[in-house]
Amino acid sequence: MFAKLLGSSPDAGPQQDGRPFLNEGREDSGGLDVSLESSDLPSVTKQDSKASKESIPPLPDIGAGVGALPEEGTPADAPPSSRSIKNLFKEGALKAAAAAKDGAAQEEGPVDVSEANAEIKVNSLEELCLPPEQSRDAQAAWAAFCNSGESREAAGEAIYSALFEGAPSLQSLFTTPRAVQAMRFMTGLNSFVQVLDAPPQLKILAETLGFGHLNLDVTVPRVVIFRDAILDLFDVELGASFTSDAREGWKMMLNYIGGAIIFVRNHYSDRLRILSESWAEASGKGRDKNAAAAAAAKAQQQQQQEQGGSGEASGEASSGGAGGGAGDGDYQDDGAPKSKRKMSFFRGMFKRKRDAGDGQGLSGGLSSPRGASGSPSQSPRGDGSDEHGEDAKKNFKKSAGGTTYAEMFHFNMAVMGLQSKTWMLEVLRSFDNIVSNVSNSARLQQECEVLALKISKSKGSASVNLAEYKSCMLAALRSALPKVWDSSYEVAWNWLWDNVERLLRKTLGSPQVWEAALARMMDSVTEDQLFEIRKSIYEQFFAAAPVGQDYFKQSNTRLHFIANRVLQMTLEIFKDPWQMVDDISALGLRHVGYAIPTELFGPFVTACIQVLNNENKDPDTIEGFRWALGLISKMLVTTINEGSTIVMKAINVNSTRMLKKAVSCAPRGQRATWLLLVQVGTQSISPLEWALQSGSVACAEAILNDLLTIRADRERYYYGMEELFARHPDIVAQLCAEGTDLLFTLMDGLAWRSRGTVNGMRRVNYYVKYLIHDHEKNFADALSHLVACKEPKIFQHPTVNIVSDTLWEKIVCWNFGYSKIWFVVSIFVFMMGQAILPKLHNKDEFWVRASVFGCRMFNYIFTMFRLAARHTREIVWAFRHGDVKRFARIPVPSYLLEGYEGGIFLLCILFILMCCNEPMLYCAQDERFPIEDCPASEHVLFRYSLFVMWGMLAHWMLLTDMAVFSTGLSAFVLVCGHVLWEIALFLIALLFVLLMFASAITVLEHSYKDMHHVGGSAVALFAITVRVYEDDYRDFQEDKLLLLMVFVFVVASAILLLNVLIAQLNCSYVYVYQNMVGFARLRRAEVICETLGEDCPMQQWNRFVESLGLETPLEFNAGDVGFAGGLTTEELGTLTSINTETIVRYGGSCSPDLQWPEDTTVGEEEEMAAKYDRMERLVQRALKKLAHSAGSSKARHSKLSGAGSPGAGNSKLSGEDSGTISDSGSSAGSHLSDG
């Protein structure tokens, strides 16, 4: 009904949000009015309309968001807790004014129908041309109304309340959530007011709204009720500023809109219904939904039988443990479609595309070469290759008779000999979007313009005969719908194609000419000319729309880059329209996050065209640039408006309160989707990801908490874990990059703890499925990102502990142990051959010498060569792939800078040096061989022993890596390693002090012989420092100055440096001790990632994953079967205090399409913040009214400050003003008492 003026669209209409192109009966258009000559772009300026009458395609404000309604049984929202614009006095006036009009209007009798029909034209739809003063005053009144509240949301609430509370007969139609519907009112009314002085665009908007209300019984009396409610609201809010011209302008506009809705419903509803229903059947979408719903119902019934009819268990089986899996909302539980079911606008916007081959576009709009999954579905160059078409042909051949429109179309192409017409395949790919937007003239025009571009890039585009497609289309539809096809279907589809053909013919043949002209222009302009063009664009844009400067705040170089990219895009869209459709959708979604007003696109496009028109006089270049830039701007506006959800708006201001209010409107089955997906065509943006990237940490935390809150009704559990990791498999990596604080929020949400305990133990479920493996059952990289984060505290979290312990105990421990066996054998053989056997008392016996030689050869052959081969391979790979880092300006492979790998490489080098200096090899010619002590080896014995010593140290240092088997031992080793740096700093300082005093003492004339040179002095001073010096201080008594220098050194080293070292070690140990277990678990996690990434066979990993039983639903309590995806364990009940039930349970209806009941449990801090905000708004409102009540600025200052100037007459308020202030005070008092 008309009360849903801007917010609802029925299932009967094939497209939920669009503009009509159906204008039959018009004398001027002959059935279709989508003229390209109008240039009334949305603007934020008030310039003369003549200045914008350039040849620019219309850029209508499609932000009206004509969405669908929820099902009829949905209760309306309760009235708001605070009146953000109307005070209590005004509410009473509005209700009193509306009651007289609405009281008898329930039966629609008392309304003067003859007078209303004279004002509201329902038998024709012509352009509404208002006098300039009326349109100007009406726009000014709307601006004043929007500015009267603290926000647009508050103004929307006022309109909603005026209709809901002031017109009881319309309350049954308010089924859309209050917050959503209020913003639709504001956005829709704003779009009408913006084009009030542009009759062609106003007509398009009115027709579009009519197609969105085809299922509602809109009558003249109801239009009158709605109109009068709006006018009464403006009377009360604006008072005398709502002039007679403004009132007449609004009255005529609302009458015009109401008449348009009735006219469209009377003339086109049946035809559009036929197109919608027949296309759903012919394309196979309806059958797919029926089959999916029947399968879901059957699976649910089977699981109910298996679990003994448990409501919770069966609900969980149908939902898969998540809100998104609660079943298809378009069908009842028995699999039958709901009759005339209405879907909310945002659910329709977020709904994922089901077929990748159906040519996705801007939310079902602009067609694209990629499906929802992003995989190519057609040749981007229009060469005739068509995977979707080939699949259809194969399926058709297999079934010996096609069943869908695509299959029958390919068959008829073959029968008619049109296989070589590759342009027909382009039309086929875009046909679903064309039919889906049949009631949206603006969107249909965009689809046809993009389709014309694609046809122009196809082979054989010079000989396009659109009648050939019509023949194949009708033949395919007759074959796909043999039982229902009749003359009405024939008329409807002929009517559709005639309008599409008319749109295509306007553009076909021109893109080639425009592309060549633009290419010549781009090649001919110099860099200086481009600079002046870009500069002039911004000068004209800022002059036309000064508010645009608030959004273009980057440097001049960045602004020139943007303008240059705009110029390039106008040419690129001709060259590769397939890729550009995706790129423009992605660009529009980025602008959603930037909160760019769509009203700025109009002035920007106008400025670009005017500048280019001054620089270039070629008509083809100007027309091509105008056409391309207009198409791009309309596509961007479409994307921004469809992507600007109430969730995104809350994120842009980083308001958790707005976010909670926005998501409370979501159906329980799609609540997670609202928080994770904004889909526009083939491109999408994630509100959660944008909150992280834009720094809205509060909103990101609120989103994570909402997603990971377990909610339940009697049939299903709703938990957003599945949707979260399906949408963001790398969520852990994103949180590590943006801020580790949110990691704890994520880990807390993945754990459920029972409120009660049994024998002192509490049941805990950890839903860590996607922390262990990804969707392909491979090892998840979540733990690797946590390791790279180097945050020890996160590894002390129980959720991370259960992941690392499970991986370590069940798979990694054994693999890691096996990998270390060879190293243990190597160090044992090395010890035997270097430190044990050569030191035996019978070392000269032959068997001992042979054993020593065998041990050394074993190390050289099996250890040295193995390590050398491995590191050679790793180093070559690193240099080939550029995985190197600079160390002292020398390129070093990155892996060698890791502690353990660097130690292994050093050990390999030492083995090579030992092999080169092996004494037994030098004595190979000796008759006593094997022996190492011979004349030939005398010169290498010391070098060899030195290398062996360092090799022995390296072996034992590397052996500490096995401390990871024990968390306690590993923690101690890590503590020792952590404090080594403090000792190193002490030694550096001590060395400096030693050299300083040693050199000073050396040059001093004294008789103490041990300190006559620098080396001896340094050794003596160091011995004094560590208290191992053998001489006595009395030896220095003869040299008083030397004794003084020694005492000063002792103070500096033994007293100062040693005590500083102790203090540093103490502080460092305290820090490490607090996170000691975290560091130990971090080291174990590193080993887990290295082992699973290199040494784990896939077959063993698959067995491990199956043994976890992650696909088995877990119980919450006895008999309460929940959802799968986790591990269950028990912990001491004293570790965590659980005072409330962590699962939020609700009664009532269990339909996934309903919202969750409003959460009445508001935190104390949030409640106090809301009270303070209310008080602040009341004070601001009172001050504003006081400021307006005075007759002059001096008197106004006197009233606000409360003190008059001496000698000046005190101005007194009139009775009317006094009453206003009194009412304001009483209103404020009542609000404060409520608070």
Side-chain angles (χ1 to χ4, degrees):
M1 138 343 129
F2 188 46
K4 290 298 175 183
L5 171 61
L6 307 164
S8 60
S9 174
D11 252 358
Q15 176 64 25
Q16 307 259 343
D17 54 344
R19 298 214 170 105
F21 68 94
L22 313 168
N23 301 312
E24 288 188 358
R26 303 179 188 172
E27 298 178 357
D28 57 341
S29 63
L32 188 62
D33 185 14
V34 284
S35 172
L36 296 179
E37 281 71 30
S38 173
S39 63
D40 298 292
L41 298 166
S43 175
V44 293
T45 62
K46 296 182 179 180
Q47 293 183 340
D48 187 3
S49 59
K50 293 181 180 179
S52 61
K53 292 292 179 77
E54 304 288 337
S55 297
I56 306 172
L59 182 60
D61 184 358
I62 56 176
V66 188
L69 302 174
E71 54 183 317
E72 289 292 341
T74 307
D77 288 356
S81 59
S82 63
R83 310 292 187 241
S84 55
I85 292 185
K86 308 187 305 300
N87 56 34
L88 298 180
F89 172 77
K90 295 180 180 179
E91 286 187 11
L94 279 175
K95 293 179 180 179
K101 296 174 183 155
D102 191 60
Q106 301 280 357
E107 305 299 329
E108 300 182 358
V111 178
D112 189 345
V113 178
S114 61
E115 181 181 353
N117 283 333
E119 298 176 346
I120 303 173
K121 297 180 181 181
V122 298
N123 296 322
S124 63
L125 185 57
E126 301 174 353
E127 293 181 357
L128 176 64
C129 297
L130 294 178
E133 60 274 7
Q134 290 186 4
S135 62
R136 183 175 59 252
D137 288 358
Q139 290 173 339
W142 174 251
F145 173 74
C146 293
N147 295 330
S148 64
E150 63 271 12
S151 65
R152 289 171 60 89
E153 289 78 8
E157 290 277 2
I159 297 176
Y160 187 97
S161 299
L163 297 172
F164 186 84
E165 300 169 3
S169 63
L170 307 181
Q171 292 182 6
S172 60
L173 301 167
F174 284 75
T175 57
T176 302
R178 184 186 191 107
V180 177
Q181 187 60 52
M183 283 308 300
R184 290 183 187 173
F185 279 133
M186 286 297 299
T187 307
L189 285 174
N190 182 67
S191 64
F192 279 107
V193 174
Q194 290 289 339
V195 297
L196 197 56
D197 53 355
Q201 291 196 39
L202 180 63
K203 186 178 184 179
I204 291 176
L205 289 179
E207 287 178 324
T208 300
L209 197 62
F211 284 106
H213 291 74
L214 292 174
N215 67 320
L216 299 178
D217 185 19
V218 181
T219 61
V220 172
R222 286 183 170 180
V223 172
V224 173
I225 294 173
F226 183 93
R227 178 197 67 192
D228 291 347
I230 296 294
L231 295 177
D232 291 340
L233 172 64
F234 286 174
D235 280 332
V236 174
E237 284 291 337
L238 303 179
S241 60
F242 191 48
T243 64
S244 58
D245 284 337
R247 181 181 182 86
E248 187 64 23
W250 270 91
K251 182 177 180 180
M252 294 181 67
M253 183 186 74
L254 295 175
N255 287 340
Y256 179 74
I257 296 171
I261 293 175
I262 298 174
F263 173 80
V264 171
R265 184 175 185 272
N266 293 338
H267 286 76
Y268 299 120
S269 59
D270 291 338
R271 191 171 294 180
L272 294 178
R273 178 185 55 79
I274 289 174
L275 291 174
S276 176
E277 294 177 356
S278 60
W279 179 248
E281 181 63 25
S283 61
K285 294 181 179 179
R287 284 171 286 177
D288 292 343
K289 288 184 178 181
N290 287 333
K298 184 176 180 180
Q300 181 177 351
Q301 185 178 4
Q302 291 177 352
Q303 188 158 0
Q304 285 178 345
Q305 294 174 356
E306 293 175 0
Q307 298 183 2
S310 172
E312 291 83 351
S314 63
E316 173 52 34
S318 66
S319 65
D328 193 340
D330 291 342
Y331 295 86
Q332 304 278 12
D333 291 338
D334 58 359
K338 296 180 182 179
S339 61
K340 295 184 179 180
R341 181 183 174 276
K342 306 178 186 69
M343 183 189 299
S344 77
F345 167 70
F346 289 100
R347 294 208 303 276
M349 183 176 68
F350 288 142
K351 193 170 184 181
R352 297 178 183 270
K353 306 295 184 293
R354 302 176 71 87
D355 295 325
D358 281 342
Q360 305 299 332
L362 288 174
S363 187
L366 297 172
S367 55
S368 165
R370 295 171 177 81
S373 63
S375 58
S377 62
Q378 69 175 17
S379 170
R381 300 296 174 190
D383 56 2
S385 60
D386 181 17
E387 297 178 7
H388 180 71
E390 295 298 329
D391 293 341
K393 293 177 183 177
K394 293 177 182 178
N395 295 335
F396 177 80
K397 292 177 180 178
K398 290 180 181 179
S399 60
T403 58
T404 65
Y405 172 78
E407 295 168 353
M408 295 307 304
F409 187 87
H410 282 283
F411 174 74
N412 283 284
M413 281 184 65
V415 171
M416 298 180 184
L418 301 174
Q419 299 97 320
S420 61
K421 305 291 185 179
T422 57
W423 64 267
M424 295 178 66
L425 300 179
E426 294 294 343
V427 182
L428 177 62
R429 296 184 191 104
S430 304
F431 200 63
D432 178 70
N433 295 321
I434 289 174
V435 179
S436 300
N437 291 289
V438 64
S439 61
N440 186 337
S441 65
R443 184 69 64 78
L444 182 66
Q445 181 178 346
Q446 294 178 26
E447 282 295 329
C448 291
E449 289 174 349
V450 174
L451 177 58
L453 283 175
K454 295 178 179 179
I455 292 176
S456 68
K457 305 300 289 185
S458 301
K459 292 181 179 179
S461 58
S463 58
V464 173
N465 184 3
L466 297 176
E468 293 174 344
Y469 186 89
K470 180 179 180 180
S471 301
C472 288
M473 176 195 74
L474 293 175
L477 289 169
R478 295 188 193 106
S479 302
L481 304 169
K483 297 181 179 179
V484 298
W485 191 268
D486 56 18
S487 60
S488 62
Y489 284 73
E490 193 84 18
V491 171
W493 283 99
N494 273 283
W495 169 70
L496 167 65
W497 181 252
D498 290 342
N499 285 281
V500 173
E501 184 175 348
R502 190 179 301 114
L503 282 174
L504 290 174
R505 290 191 183 280
K506 284 186 175 183
T507 309
L508 282 177
S510 299
Q512 296 91 331
V513 178
W514 294 336
E515 179 182 356
L518 281 174
R520 288 194 302 269
M521 187 269 292
M522 293 294 184
D523 293 338
S524 62
V525 295
T526 64
E527 184 59 34
D528 293 338
Q529 289 175 326
L530 279 176
F531 180 85
E532 292 300 327
I533 290 174
R534 297 191 297 260
K535 180 180 177 182
S536 301
I537 287 175
Y538 286 109
E539 289 176 352
Q540 294 200 22
F541 172 61
F542 292 148
V547 70
Q549 300 181 60
D550 296 334
Y551 296 93
F552 287 86
K553 296 181 290 187
Q554 299 91 339
S555 63
N556 285 332
T557 55
R558 174 65 179 173
L559 294 182
H560 278 266
F561 170 81
I562 295 173
N564 193 59
R565 187 73 188 104
V566 170
L567 297 176
Q568 293 173 357
M569 289 173 65
T570 58
L571 180 59
E572 291 174 1
I573 197 171
F574 289 109
K575 292 182 176 180
D576 192 354
W578 297 275
Q579 183 63 38
M580 281 302 296
V581 168
D582 282 347
D583 293 346
I584 292 172
S585 297
L587 180 63
L589 285 175
R590 287 200 299 272
H591 282 73
V592 169
Y594 302 146
I596 301 296
T598 55
E599 293 85 357
L600 294 177
F601 281 86
F604 187 82
V605 171
T606 302
C608 292
I609 295 175
Q610 289 176 349
V611 170
L612 192 66
N613 198 12
N614 296 333
E615 297 291 334
N616 193 297
K617 302 303 180 182
D618 181 21
D620 290 335
T621 302
I622 297 299
E623 181 63 19
F625 183 79
R626 178 200 60 78
W627 186 88
L629 189 58
L631 176 60
I632 292 172
S633 61
K634 287 185 289 185
M635 293 161 63
L636 287 174
V637 169
T638 300
T639 305
I640 291 173
N641 280 290
E642 293 185 358
S644 297
T645 66
I646 53 180
V647 174
M648 289 296 294
K649 291 179 180 178
I651 292 174
N652 288 334
V653 297
N654 197 21
S655 172
T656 56
R657 188 187 310 171
M658 289 179 60
L659 178 68
K660 293 176 181 178
K661 184 178 180 181
V663 78
S664 66
C665 304
R668 59 186 66 175
Q670 296 195 13
R671 189 181 181 105
T673 307
W674 279 40
L675 295 171
L676 294 172
L677 180 66
V678 176
Q679 181 80 38
V680 181
T682 60
Q683 302 295 322
S684 63
I685 189 173
S686 168
L688 173 59
E689 185 176 16
W690 181 256
L692 291 173
Q693 294 177 355
S694 62
S696 301
V697 179
C699 282
E701 183 178 5
I703 290 175
L704 286 175
N705 285 326
D706 192 276
L707 287 171
L708 300 178
T709 297
I710 304 176
R711 298 178 177 85
D713 50 32
R714 294 188 303 275
E715 293 183 357
R716 301 174 181 85
Y717 282 97
Y718 295 86
Y719 186 50
M721 185 261 298
E722 290 284 348
E723 286 87 347
L724 175 61
F725 284 94
R727 176 63 173 156
H728 296 293
D730 59 342
I731 182 62
V732 175
Q734 293 186 37
L735 296 181
C736 288
E738 300 298 336
T740 57
D741 291 341
L742 294 178
L743 282 172
F744 294 92
T745 303
L746 175 66
M747 298 306 166
D748 289 339
L750 294 177
W752 170 86
R753 289 178 171 81
S754 175
R755 184 179 179 182
T757 59
V758 178
N759 297 326
M761 303 299 292
R762 188 189 309 279
R763 183 187 182 93
V764 186
N765 293 347
Y766 294 101
Y767 294 95
V768 294
K769 173 181 177 180
Y770 294 111
L771 298 183
I772 295 177
H773 67 73
D774 56 20
H775 288 82
E776 286 76 28
K777 299 297 181 68
N778 298 319
F779 174 56
D781 57 359
L783 196 61
S784 302
H785 291 297
L786 291 176
V787 169
C789 189
K790 300 293 184 181
E791 176 55 57
K793 292 182 179 179
I794 194 64
F795 284 92
Q796 300 181 55
H797 196 282
T799 303
V800 181
N801 288 349
I802 196 69
V803 174
S804 61
D805 289 347
T806 301
L807 291 170
W808 175 260
E809 294 171 1
K810 294 190 175 183
I811 186 171
V812 176
C813 178
W814 303 105
N815 288 5
F816 181 72
Y818 293 149
S819 67
K820 293 298 181 182
I821 289 177
W822 184 260
F823 184 79
V824 174
V825 171
S826 175
I827 193 174
F828 174 77
V829 173
F830 190 71
M831 285 283 296
M832 294 296 296
Q834 300 290 351
I836 297 178
L837 293 177
K839 307 302 178 182
L840 294 176
H841 63 280
N842 55 347
K843 61 181 179 179
D844 293 332
E845 295 183 9
F846 177 80
W847 72 269
V848 176
R849 290 185 281 112
S851 299
V852 170
F853 180 76
C855 289
R856 294 182 180 181
M857 291 302 105
F858 180 89
N859 284 127
Y860 296 146
I861 296 174
F862 294 103
T863 302
M864 182 186 70
F865 282 109
R866 183 175 62 87
L867 293 178
R870 175 196 166 193
H871 283 286
T872 301
R873 183 175 62 253
E874 294 288 344
I875 291 173
V876 171
W877 185 94
F879 277 100
R880 281 184 177 178
H881 294 81
D883 187 17
V884 295
K885 295 181 179 179
R886 294 281 175 177
F887 183 76
R889 297 185 178 182
I890 301 175
V892 179
S894 300
Y895 84 97
L896 292 180
L897 298 179
E898 301 175 4
Y900 183 78
E901 292 296 334
I904 290 291
F905 180 75
L906 176 62
L907 181 62
C908 177
I909 298 298
L910 289 173
F911 266 121
I912 294 175
L913 294 175
M914 282 187 284
C915 182
C916 295
N917 294 273
E918 176 58 50
M920 287 190 170
L921 295 180
Y922 278 88
C923 298
Q925 303 298 328
D926 195 285
E927 59 182 9
R928 296 174 298 166
F929 181 81
I931 191 174
E932 64 177 358
D933 188 7
C934 67
S937 64
E938 289 180 356
H939 67 285
V940 298
L941 283 176
F942 177 77
R943 288 202 307 268
Y944 180 76
S945 65
L946 184 64
F947 295 144
V948 170
M949 179 191 70
W950 287 111
M952 190 67 68
L953 291 174
H955 266 100
W956 285 105
M957 290 297 296
L958 292 172
L959 192 62
T960 59
D961 190 57
M962 298 187 66
V964 72
F965 281 99
S966 170
T967 303
L969 182 59
S970 178
F972 177 77
V973 172
L974 289 170
V975 168
C976 294
H978 188 84
V979 299
L980 282 178
W981 175 245
E982 307 297 337
I983 297 177
L985 293 177
F986 165 77
L987 293 177
I988 293 174
L990 180 61
L991 177 63
F992 175 79
V993 173
L994 284 173
L995 292 176
M996 179 177 65
F997 280 90
S999 58
I1001 291 175
T1002 300
V1003 300
L1004 179 66
E1005 287 292 337
H1006 60 81
S1007 60
Y1008 192 68
K1009 61 180 179 178
D1010 289 343
M1011 295 185 180
H1012 279 171
H1013 52 84
V1014 176
S1017 299
V1019 171
L1021 292 176
F1022 181 76
I1024 293 173
T1025 303
V1026 296
R1027 297 183 181 182
V1028 294
Y1029 192 66
E1030 295 181 354
D1031 287 347
D1032 195 275
Y1033 286 108
R1034 287 171 291 184
D1035 298 334
F1036 303 150
Q1037 289 182 358
E1038 296 180 0
D1039 298 308
K1040 305 297 182 181
L1041 192 55
L1042 175 63
L1043 181 61
L1044 178 62
M1045 291 293 293
V1046 170
F1047 283 163
V1048 173
F1049 170 78
V1050 170
V1051 171
S1053 60
I1055 298 178
L1056 177 61
L1057 291 182
L1058 283 178
N1059 283 282
V1060 169
L1061 173 64
I1062 293 172
Q1064 285 183 317
L1065 291 178
N1066 182 54
C1067 294
S1068 179
Y1069 180 79
V1070 169
Y1071 166 73
V1072 177
Y1073 181 79
Q1074 293 175 350
N1075 301 287
M1076 184 170 58
V1077 177
F1079 280 112
R1081 290 190 172 274
L1082 173 59
R1083 175 56 191 151
R1084 175 176 286 186
E1086 291 178 354
V1087 173
I1088 291 173
C1089 295
E1090 293 171 0
T1091 303
L1092 293 179
E1094 299 175 0
D1095 304 327
C1096 182
M1098 197 63 195
Q1099 186 177 4
Q1100 182 185 9
W1101 172 258
N1102 291 335
R1103 288 198 304 268
F1104 161 72
V1105 172
E1106 292 176 1
S1107 67
L1108 296 180
L1110 295 174
E1111 305 302 327
T1112 303
L1114 303 180
E1115 283 189 345
F1116 290 114
N1117 291 304
D1120 185 4
V1121 181
F1123 40 84
L1127 303 173
T1128 185
T1129 184
E1130 291 184 342
E1131 66 180 18
L1132 289 174
T1134 56
L1135 292 179
T1136 309
S1137 177
I1138 306 296
N1139 299 322
T1140 59
E1141 177 61 51
T1142 54
I1143 300 177
V1144 184
R1145 301 182 183 272
Y1146 298 92
S1149 175
C1150 300
S1151 172
D1153 298 327
L1154 296 180
Q1155 310 163 33
W1156 290 114
E1158 184 177 358
D1159 188 8
T1160 57
T1161 59
V1162 182
E1164 182 177 352
E1165 295 182 0
E1166 185 175 351
E1167 185 177 357
M1168 290 300 298
K1171 290 180 179 180
Y1172 286 127
D1173 289 344
R1174 269 201 310 273
M1175 293 173 62
E1176 184 179 0
R1177 289 196 299 269
L1178 287 171
V1179 172
Q1180 291 176 351
R1181 192 179 304 143
L1183 292 175
K1184 184 177 180 180
K1185 290 189 176 296
L1186 285 172
H1188 284 289
S1189 64
S1192 64
S1193 60
K1194 186 174 181 180
R1196 180 163 60 250
H1197 175 73
S1198 175
K1199 291 298 179 183
L1200 288 174
S1201 61
S1205 301
N1210 293 331
S1211 61
K1212 297 192 176 182
L1213 298 173
S1214 63
E1216 182 180 358
D1217 293 334
S1218 299
T1220 303
I1221 295 179
S1222 176
D1223 293 332
S1224 175
S1226 62
S1227 175
S1230 62
H1231 277 285
L1232 290 174
S1233 63
D1234 292 341

